[in-house]
């Protein structure tokens, strides 16, 4: 393949410039349109030259191939010129940009690691507080159950003492005769009326 020939920006501009049409004068300068036909050409009849069909097809194919080759060469030259121009203009900038991106990436990674460490510490503190709160609630529940159990035992002790005190007045086989004599000696009249305050105001006479 051909390579672009160095020669500065002017040559690159010429290579990249679009092709212009060939300018051809319509009439020669030595003869105007109003001049008559020359006497030597007055009776001449123009006959087109004979055309060989096979040769015409071959020329057309070769011309098409020639156009394709020239177009490919122009594109190759254009691509190489643009590549060199881009490398000259952006080579140092690309290196600086890559260095800045690397520094930014390192800074972001450091910030990310610090943030992960901070979040981990916060999570550990929250877990520790939750564990302490759970243990405290568990201890308070155990203390409350212990107090309720003690209160239950005290209540049962009071009931037992009350039953023991009431048991002293129970009628048994041993004191049955004595209780009968006491009831006969001290009769009680339960036929009485009470007022609104619950005081006995009227008794009936025992018979």
């Amino acid at each position: 393949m051909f390579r672009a020939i160095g020669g500065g920006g002017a040559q690159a501009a010429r290579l990249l410039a679009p092709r212009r049409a060939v300018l051809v004068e319509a009439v020669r300068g030595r003869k105007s349109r109003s001049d008559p036909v020359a006497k030597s050409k007055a009776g001449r009849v123009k006959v087109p030259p004979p055309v060989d069909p096979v040769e015409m097809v071959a020329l057309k194919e070769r011309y098409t191939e020639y156009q394709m080759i020239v177009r490919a060469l122009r594109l190759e030259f254009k691509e190489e010129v643009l590549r060199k121009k881009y490398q000259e203009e952006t080579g140092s900038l690309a290196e600086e940009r890559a260095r800045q991106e690397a520094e930014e990436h390192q800074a972001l990674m450091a910030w990310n690691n610090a943030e992960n460490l901070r979040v981990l510490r916060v999570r550990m503190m929250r877990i520790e507080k939750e564990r302490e709160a759970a243990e405290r609630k568990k201890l308070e529940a155990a203390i409350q159950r212990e107090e309720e159990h003690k209160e239950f035992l005290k209540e049962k002790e009071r009931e037992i003492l009350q039953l023991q005190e009431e048991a002293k007045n129970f009628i048994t086989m041993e004191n049955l005769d004595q209780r009968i004599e006491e009831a006969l000696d001290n009769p009680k009249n339960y036929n009485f009326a009470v007022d609104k305050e619950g005081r006995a105001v009227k008794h009936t006479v025992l018979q």
Side-chain angles (χ1 to χ4, degrees), residues 10 24 63 91 107 135 137 143 147-148 155 170 178 196 207:
V24 181
Y63 184 68
E135 292 181 355
K137 289 182 179 180
I143 294 174
E147 293 178 353
E148 292 176 353
E155 182 67 23
F170 287 172
Q178 179 183 356
K196 293 181 179 180
Q207 296 180 358

Side-chain angles (χ1 to χ4, degrees), residues 8-201:
Q11 185 175 359
R14 287 197 301 272
L15 290 174
L16 299 179
R19 300 183 63 184
R20 297 181 180 179
V22 179
L23 299 179
V24 181
E25 295 182 0
V27 181
R28 294 181 181 180
R30 64 182 181 179
K31 187 176 182 180
S32 64
R33 293 180 181 272
S34 59
D35 293 338
V37 181
K39 294 180 180 181
S40 60
K41 298 181 181 180
R44 187 183 65 175
V45 178
K46 291 184 179 181
V47 178
V51 178
D52 186 1
V54 178
E55 183 180 0
M56 187 65 180
V57 173
L59 290 176
K60 187 175 181 180
E61 292 179 355
R62 292 181 181 180
Y63 184 68
T64 303
E65 184 179 357
Y66 165 78
Q67 287 182 331
M68 293 176 60
I69 294 174
V70 172
R71 189 180 299 110
L73 289 174
R74 287 179 61 83
L75 292 176
E76 180 72 17
F77 294 157
K78 183 176 180 179
E79 181 181 358
E80 187 170 353
V81 170
L82 292 177
R83 186 187 304 112
K84 288 184 178 180
K85 184 178 179 181
Y86 176 79
Q87 290 177 356
E88 292 176 357
E89 293 180 354
T90 62
S92 58
L93 296 178
E95 183 179 355
E96 180 66 19
R97 189 182 301 110
R99 186 183 61 82
Q100 293 179 358
E101 290 179 356
E103 293 178 355
E104 183 179 0
H105 176 72
Q106 292 179 358
L108 289 176
M109 289 299 297
W111 177 85
N112 186 60
N113 294 334
E115 185 67 14
N116 289 339
L117 182 60
R118 185 187 66 82
V119 173
L120 178 61
R121 291 176 179 174
V122 172
R123 186 185 301 113
M124 295 300 295
M125 292 178 60
R126 185 180 70 250
I127 294 175
E128 183 66 19
K129 290 182 179 179
E130 292 177 354
R131 186 182 63 81
E132 292 178 355
E135 292 181 355
R136 183 169 59 254
K137 289 182 179 180
K138 185 177 179 180
L139 182 60
E140 291 175 356
I143 294 174
Q144 184 177 0
R145 289 195 299 270
E146 184 68 19
E147 293 178 353
E148 292 176 353
H149 183 66
K150 290 181 179 179
E151 186 66 25
F152 176 77
L153 293 179
K154 290 181 180 180
E155 182 67 23
K156 293 303 178 181
E157 290 178 358
R158 287 193 295 268
E159 292 179 359
I160 292 173
L161 293 176
Q162 183 178 359
L163 288 174
Q164 290 178 352
E165 187 66 23
E166 293 176 355
K168 295 179 180 179
N169 298 323
F170 287 172
I171 298 175
T172 61
M173 296 300 296
E174 288 77 10
N175 62 4
L176 179 60
D177 295 337
Q178 179 183 356
R179 297 299 296 274
I180 291 175
E181 291 179 359
E182 291 178 357
L184 292 175
D185 295 340
N186 300 305
K188 292 183 178 181
N189 185 8
Y190 294 99
N191 295 325
F192 57 85
V194 296
D195 57 7
K196 293 181 179 180
E197 286 73 16
R199 294 173 297 184
V201 295

